[in-house]
Amino acid sequence: MRPVLAVLGPTASGKSALGLALADGHGGEIVNCDSTAVYRGFDIGTDKLSIEQRRGIPHHLIDIADPTEVYTAAQFAEDAASAIRQIHGRGRLPILVGGTGFYYRALTRGLFPGPGADDELRRRLDRVAERKGPERLHRMLARVDTVAASRIMPRDRVRLVRALEVYLTTGRPLTEHFAATRSLIADCDVRALALRLPPELTAERVERRVHEQFARGIVREVDTLLASGVPPDARPFGGLVYRQVMEMRAGVRDEAATRALIVQENRRYARRQLIWFRKEPNLIWFDGPGERPETLRRVEDALALWPRSHEETA
């Protein structure tokens, strides 16, 4: 099986630096796995590496979508699988780098598109939740799909409605549908590395990065995008950093409060990313920022001992 490396982890953990170092040492090319970096013009808030910072290493799936497009996880999986085939065809190593867990899962485990929305059925389920609470939906789901019910919080109304909708529409539980999905790179050996940092270090690095984003001109970037005709409701404007800057421009809060809020939201996002990646199978975890030489050394040691069959800590 042809190898694929993945460098995953939460925001501000040094994934890009580690990906570049591995590409340098292993004849690799980078495949972006960040859901906002696919959009053209959204550079500072996504911390895209400049052409100079990429050091001549090819990067794929960056700046491939217009801001008004809806670029889905399913589209990413198709595009990433195609890029991986092309990289293999050149005799080089594909290295996925990013923190969008849903994109990674769609590529490596497949994505169940599901039936279309049934508006009438959703209204009926919503009425049940309104009258008896979303916990009632959770109990209904537990009777038909215990696995899905164990993964969905009892008050997560949106996901509960969707899981019940899939079952009531298809006659098969959501878990069964997911089990039948297939990765678009099932013939590849995916070697997944994940970074994690202690919360206090994440907080320090996130705060420094937010101040750097403002110094580099994140507000000016947003102004330029709007002046070029990108509508305020374009999807990437709803992403982290951009959403808060848009609110600042609308007078919701001043710059100091905006910076503080972005730091806070980044820290929350980092926690959610860690929770997501902990549920992914076969990750090898590394403690420490990706740019540190000792982190790279531990990664290289782990790669020398491949394959690994279970999640462990390095």
Side-chain angles (χ1 to χ4, degrees):
M1 300 175 77
R2 292 185 171 185
V4 174
L5 281 185
V7 178
L8 311 170
T11 187
S13 57
K15 298 182 295 295
S16 295
L18 180 57
L20 280 173
L22 291 171
D24 260 338
H26 295 269
E29 299 185 18
I30 305 296
V31 180
N32 167 60
C33 190
D34 179 274
S35 60
T36 308
V38 300
Y39 291 104
R40 284 184 281 272
F42 288 77
D43 302 330
I44 297 174
T46 59
D47 287 303
K48 289 177 188 171
L49 296 180
S50 67
I51 297 299
E52 294 74 24
Q53 290 171 322
R54 297 175 194 178
R55 306 202 301 262
I57 295 169
H59 282 59
H60 305 271
L61 305 193
I62 293 175
D63 296 333
I64 59 171
D66 287 328
T68 53
E69 290 183 47
V70 176
Y71 190 85
T72 65
Q75 184 63 56
F76 167 79
E78 292 181 7
D79 290 344
S82 176
I84 286 168
R85 305 276 182 236
Q86 293 172 30
I87 295 168
H88 280 151
R90 291 189 287 273
R92 297 176 64 80
L93 176 66
I95 304 177
L96 283 166
V97 179
T100 302
F102 192 44
Y103 273 23
Y104 175 75
R105 183 176 296 180
L107 174 64
T108 59
R109 290 206 267 160
L111 192 66
F112 165 57
D118 185 324
D119 293 335
E120 177 55 34
L121 176 57
R122 288 187 176 189
R123 282 193 290 270
R124 293 205 306 270
L125 293 170
D126 279 332
R127 285 196 293 270
V128 171
E130 289 166 4
R131 293 197 308 268
K132 301 183 179 180
E135 294 86 355
R136 178 60 177 268
L137 298 182
H138 193 266
R139 290 193 294 273
M140 292 169 59
L141 181 62
R143 288 197 292 268
V144 298
D145 190 348
T146 56
V147 174
S150 70
R151 293 176 177 171
I152 301 175
M153 297 297 290
R155 297 192 62 81
D156 192 341
R157 179 167 165 173
V158 172
R159 293 181 68 197
L160 289 167
V161 167
R162 179 56 176 165
L164 286 167
E165 178 186 39
V166 168
Y167 174 75
L168 295 171
T169 302
T170 68
R172 297 168 60 200
L174 185 62
T175 301
E176 188 176 322
H177 285 288
F178 276 127
T181 61
R182 177 177 170 80
S183 166
L184 295 180
I185 55 170
D187 58 335
C188 294
D189 178 17
V190 180
R191 309 175 179 191
L193 320 171
L195 297 171
R196 64 185 167 201
L197 309 179
E200 61 274 13
L201 183 55
T202 295
E204 175 188 317
R205 290 166 67 91
V206 161
E207 183 169 5
R208 182 169 63 248
R209 189 174 71 176
V210 169
H211 292 320
E212 289 171 352
Q213 288 170 335
F214 273 83
R216 290 168 57 199
I218 182 64
V219 178
R220 183 171 60 252
E221 179 178 90
V222 169
D223 290 341
T224 301
L225 287 164
L226 291 167
S228 71
V230 178
D233 60 351
R235 190 171 186 176
F237 275 139
L240 189 57
V241 180
Y242 292 102
R243 181 174 68 254
Q244 290 80 16
V245 170
M246 291 287 283
E247 291 170 349
M248 183 187 76
R249 293 178 77 261
V252 174
R253 65 185 69 83
D254 63 18
E255 183 175 312
T258 297
R259 292 188 185 211
L261 179 60
I262 295 173
V263 170
Q264 180 185 55
E265 290 299 318
N266 263 296
R267 293 176 65 180
R268 289 175 177 167
Y269 180 49
R271 288 195 293 269
R272 293 197 301 271
Q273 288 174 297
L274 274 176
I275 291 169
W276 180 286
F277 284 123
R278 284 181 186 133
K279 296 177 182 177
E280 289 296 326
N282 305 318
L283 302 191
I284 304 178
W285 287 90
F286 297 87
D287 295 315
E291 74 276 7
R292 287 186 180 171
E294 56 266 34
T295 304
L296 177 60
R297 176 184 53 77
R298 293 198 305 270
V299 167
E300 294 287 12
D301 289 346
L303 292 177
L305 297 174
W306 203 268
R308 300 294 180 94
S309 60
H310 59 278
E311 177 177 324
E312 56 188 276
T313 300

